[in-house]
Amino acid sequence: MGVDAPVRVVMQSSTGIDRRAVLVFLFLKTGTRTMKTITTFSAAIATAIATLAAPAFAAQSEDFAQGRIIVEPKAGLTVAEFAKILKANGAGNARKLGQSNIHLIDVAHGSEKAVAAKLKNNPHFKFAELDKRVLVSAAYNDPYLGSQWHISKIGAPTAWDSAQGANVTVAILDTGVDSSHPDLAPHMVAGWDIYSNGADTSDLCGHGTAVAGSAAAAGNNGVGVSGVSGQSKIMPLRIAYKG
């Protein structure tokens, strides 16, 4: 039985930290056993990738700024009351972020989670959380996305990192919807022509189709535009007649 030179596989973790996994495998020079060996090698690569990914993700979840948290007090809370609550919960100075009502709060190193948890349950706060580093992962490939000025205006790409409208049905009450449109067809569900009391929901003038596209055109499919809620279902309800 002969062997080839060892095979070295080097992988870089997604966090940018150099983490190398070296798999050494000996290829057996015997007919069917070679294929079996290659299959085993592929499985070993998959296992190594999973092993690398798990700790990287765990480490990312703990990636937050030391010595501060982010909070937003509810409207009506005075500056004096705000400061008093912060002091009572072990927090320090507050710095307002721009024109918003969100504040960076100084806390003792190591107390970030505890202080955030206390303030989160305080009825005078909208939220209190760690100042985490968040990796933006949603990058759509729809060719006309760059022309959709409203998408960036409302901060849709940021929201897409958390949710993209899956398991939601959006009813389009308009002139109907072109169910054959490639950006809409994958998400269409049965609707109704309320005006004429029938099942024909085809678009009378194009307006309803445009509205449906703005709301829920399929995102990241390499076609046309992206809807704000690009994984939602579309239910056409025709309520207008052709004038």
Side-chain angles (χ1 to χ4, degrees), residues 17-185:
I17 302 172
D18 251 349
R19 303 188 58 196
R20 295 173 181 266
V22 180
L23 304 178
V24 178
F25 201 90
L26 301 180
F27 283 96
L28 304 179
K29 293 183 177 178
T30 57
T32 57
R33 299 181 75 178
T34 301
M35 289 304 299
K36 182 177 180 181
T37 299
I38 293 174
T39 301
T40 308
F41 183 51
S42 298
I45 292 177
T47 302
I49 291 174
T51 304
L52 283 177
F57 181 81
Q60 179 183 328
S61 67
E62 295 297 317
D63 189 9
F64 58 87
Q66 303 295 307
R68 71 177 186 234
I69 61 174
I70 301 176
V71 306
E72 181 177 358
K74 291 183 178 178
L77 189 66
T78 67
V79 174
E81 291 171 335
F82 184 30
K84 184 177 180 180
I85 293 174
L86 293 180
K87 184 177 181 181
N89 286 278
N93 296 327
R95 302 186 300 283
K96 194 173 182 180
L97 294 178
Q99 299 301 311
S100 71
N101 197 33
I102 300 174
H103 295 72
L104 282 178
I105 310 298
D106 293 333
V107 297
H109 282 240
S111 70
E112 297 87 359
K113 291 183 179 180
V115 176
K118 290 179 183 177
L119 295 178
K120 181 179 180 179
N121 294 320
N122 189 297
H124 295 292
F125 288 83
K126 285 186 176 180
F127 69 82
E129 60 189 40
L130 300 174
D131 186 5
K132 289 186 176 182
R133 177 179 297 169
V134 179
L135 298 178
V136 178
S137 57
Y140 282 13
N141 61 7
D142 304 272
Y144 295 107
L145 178 60
S147 300
Q148 294 180 266
W149 65 269
H150 62 283
I151 292 294
S152 58
K153 185 72 173 180
I154 65 175
T158 301
W160 290 340
D161 286 334
S162 301
Q164 297 173 22
N167 302 316
V168 172
T169 297
V170 179
I172 306 297
L173 284 72
D174 211 290
T175 60
V177 175
D178 178 4
S179 61
S180 66
H181 193 289
D183 246 351
L184 307 178

